Amino acid sequence: MLYAIISEDVPNSLPLRQSARPAHLRRLEALRDQGRLILAGPLPAVDSEQPGDAGFTGSLVVAEFPSLEQARQWAGEDPYQAAGVYASVTVKPFKAVLP
């Protein structure tokens, strides 16, 4: 089943994101290589694909996991969690309808 992982950043998270980004991306790339990643990306703090120093307010990942518990476990092991980037993380079942 698909799950949406919606993460909200702590204020001024950009330096924390930058330090943990390589490890964070490696985990996402592993999901992609397994054919389980639907989409992933950050939520810019301003209306721009390149927010610069404004940084990001969170992240969205949609991926396939065997269960809600396993999706929550995967989200809890994110390097951004360990680095203190996220203030909160919500994991919900997701049903893709379009496209």
Side-chain angles (χ1 to χ4, degrees):
M1 175 148 189
L2 295 179
Y3 296 90
I5 302 169
I6 305 140
S7 305
E8 296 289 331
D9 283 18
V10 299
N12 305 310
S13 63
L14 190 57
L16 300 171
R17 277 180 166 272
Q18 291 169 333
S19 67
R21 189 169 190 264
H24 173 77
L25 289 179
R26 279 194 296 275
R27 293 181 81 238
L28 291 169
E29 290 164 351
L31 279 181
R32 179 201 60 206
D33 293 348
Q34 295 165 13
R36 297 171 43 204
L37 182 65
I38 303 304
L39 66 89
L43 306 171
V46 295
D47 190 13
S48 172
E49 287 189 28
Q50 301 296 327
D53 291 340
F56 302 93
T57 62
S59 300
L60 172 63
V61 174
V62 178
E64 182 179 347
F65 292 92
S67 68
L68 177 58
E69 183 55 39
Q70 289 181 350
R72 285 180 176 152
Q73 180 179 349
W74 185 90
E77 295 170 354
D78 192 309
Y80 279 178
Q81 285 275 53
V85 171
Y86 295 145
S88 67
V89 176
T90 303
V91 181
K92 296 181 175 189
F94 179 80
K95 180 178 168 41
V97 175
L98 294 172

